[in-house]
Amino acid sequence: MHPTNSIAVITTAVLALSSSVSAANIGRWNKWSRPEEASTSTSWVTVYETQTVTLKASPTQKTVYKNGGQPANNVAAEATTLATQVVAAAETPVAVESNQGASVNVQAVNNAASSSASGGKRGFAYNDANLVNNLVNGGTRGSWAYNWDSVSNGLASGVEFVPMLWGDRADHTNRWANNIEKSLSEGASHILSFNEPDIAAQANLSPEAAAAAHVKYINPYGGRARIGAPAVSNSNLDGQGTRWLKSFMSACDRVGCKIDFCVAHWYSPASDPQSLINHLNEVHSICGNKPVWLTEFAPLGNDQENAAFLKNNLGRLDGELSFLERYSYFMVSVGSLMSSSTSLSSLGQAFFG
Ligand code: BGC
């Protein structure tokens, strides 16, 4: 979600006013109000709401957002992608059922397992593939990349692209079969399901609807690639975060989703690294002890605190949590992990080592 400048101003004001806002949902504000995202414009209506919820031990006031919109840059990226896709489809029809694809990708899964072991768990979460390519050309190492979409939009071939079906809307599902076949034929060995269906402004699906859509769109690729469950936030509001995931896994037991690993996001204060570890452990357990990926995360401190958080805690993600297969910081962009289109920021240096 990419707020307008005016929304960003409102966001800042709300943040300033709500000193007691804490934990998971504050992450949404921080994430959406990053300068590079606030500069895009959109016409959707955003409604902010303040809720009082009871957290495990103490009552806490949280500010949450509601938005029925679509990320502005995603719309632009998708329009381009769609145009490219139409041209590509006209030139080279892609087979939807392909035995050759199946055997290629069993090999790809094996390769990915070993390259992941040598290349580490770190990946690139990006919108602009040029930035990732610049980093890779400059020697930055990451074993995989994703862009919340089903086409890589120009990612260099040395990095494993992981396609995602962002949501169940037609502008994503219409392109899915062609895009996924193309990704598989180019060696993709993992597939990500919906992005934050537990959050109204993101994929926004009930656990039951998500399970049905997962069976429809994602299950067909089981066995050809390893399959991720939808990515959930660490919101602890009713019906969100791990509560949503629990219901999704139950719905999946009934309808038979194919899932090889679960996927989580995390945004919380930099002073509380243990909440990240706890969140990942909880996701792991809800997922029936399957592996876990952390595809978005960021501590909510200043630059120095965030860099210190990464220096002090990435070792835990790499070592202590053996079930955690992969993780990517939010995100590869100038202003976050990068200080210019070719250089890492101090945060980026802390993340990529
Ligand atoms: C959105 C994506 C977007 C990404 C980076 C995610 O939360 O769901 O659509 O591309 O943020 O801006």
Side-chain angles (χ1 to χ4, degrees):
M1 178 169 63
H2 300 267
T4 58
N5 287 337
S6 59
I7 297 293
V9 170
I10 296 169
T11 301
T12 312
V14 172
L15 264 183
L17 285 172
S18 40
S19 56
S20 60
V21 167
S22 70
N25 290 293
I26 194 174
R28 318 304 307 182
W29 294 107
N30 181 288
K31 176 178 157 185
W32 308 138
S33 58
R34 284 175 193 280
E36 77 276 14
E37 299 197 347
S39 64
T40 57
S41 68
T42 162
S43 55
W44 359 290
V45 178
T46 299
V47 179
Y48 298 100
E49 164 180 288
T50 298
Q51 293 189 357
T52 300
V53 295
T54 304
L55 301 181
K56 284 154 194 163
S58 59
T60 305
Q61 192 178 61
K62 288 167 158 294
T63 302
V64 296
Y65 61 82
K66 285 190 175 168
N67 185 319
Q70 158 69 7
N73 70 342
N74 224 31
V75 171
E78 278 164 11
T80 315
T81 302
L82 202 51
T84 315
Q85 203 55 43
V86 168
V87 173
E91 285 168 3
T92 13
V94 182
V96 172
E97 294 295 333
S98 152
N99 290 331
Q100 194 193 359
S103 59
V104 165
N105 285 294
V106 170
Q107 187 56 51
V109 169
N110 295 337
N111 291 346
S114 52
S115 98
S116 188
S118 59
K121 299 180 180 184
R122 271 157 238 193
F124 304 94
Y126 70 96
N127 282 152
D128 181 351
N130 292 325
L131 297 181
V132 180
N133 298 345
N134 291 347
L135 288 180
V136 171
N137 290 337
T140 298
R141 290 180 62 207
S143 55
W144 65 285
Y146 90 112
N147 62 351
W148 295 268
D149 197 26
S150 52
V151 280
S152 78
N153 274 326
L155 186 71
S157 56
V159 184
E160 181 199 329
F161 176 64
V162 181
M164 166 184 263
L165 180 62
W166 189 90
D168 76 338
R169 284 198 328 247
D171 55 333
H172 296 284
T173 57
N174 282 348
R175 304 181 289 125
W176 178 243
N178 277 344
N179 287 350
I180 198 72
E181 286 301 334
K182 184 164 186 288
S183 287
L184 291 170
S185 73
E186 289 170 355
S189 52
H190 296 83
I191 292 176
L192 294 171
S193 186
F194 316 119
N195 191 63
E196 298 186 357
D198 58 317
I199 301 294
Q202 297 286 312
N204 190 29
L205 290 162
S206 70
E208 294 71 28
H214 185 101
V215 166
K216 179 171 175 187
Y217 296 110
I218 312 280
N219 269 19
Y221 305 100
R224 297 178 63 189
R226 291 176 73 233
I227 292 194
V232 291
S233 73
N234 66 318
S235 164
N236 42 19
L237 296 180
D238 274 349
Q240 298 184 348
T242 51
R243 297 169 183 198
W244 186 98
L245 184 62
K246 240 181 234 164
S247 308
F248 172 79
M249 294 306 281
S250 307
C252 276
D253 284 345
R254 296 189 290 274
V255 298
C257 309
K258 292 187 181 164
I259 290 170
D260 296 302
F261 58 94
C262 280
V263 183
H265 292 171
W266 179 88
Y267 296 90
S268 283
S271 56
D272 192 9
Q274 190 55 40
S275 81
L276 170 58
I277 307 293
N278 294 348
H279 181 54
L280 294 171
N281 274 312
E282 197 183 347
V283 167
H284 178 52
S285 135
I286 293 169
C287 196
N289 295 330
K290 288 185 174 153
V292 174
W293 289 23
L294 175 64
T295 51
E296 278 188 30
F297 79 106
L300 305 174
N302 60 32
D303 285 355
Q304 220 178 352
E305 289 162 345
N306 293 346
F309 178 100
L310 293 177
K311 282 187 191 127
N312 296 335
N313 294 293
L314 289 187
R316 298 182 77 184
L317 301 188
D318 289 328
E320 186 184 319
L321 300 186
S322 55
F323 62 80
L324 183 69
E325 287 188 346
R326 291 180 169 187
Y327 57 82
S328 51
Y329 193 86
F330 189 90
M331 61 180 278
V332 175
S333 60
V334 177
S336 178
L337 291 177
M338 298 182 75
S339 55
S340 76
S341 62
T342 50
S343 341
L344 289 172
S345 60
S346 52
L347 199 59
Q349 287 166 16
F351 182 69
F352 288 108

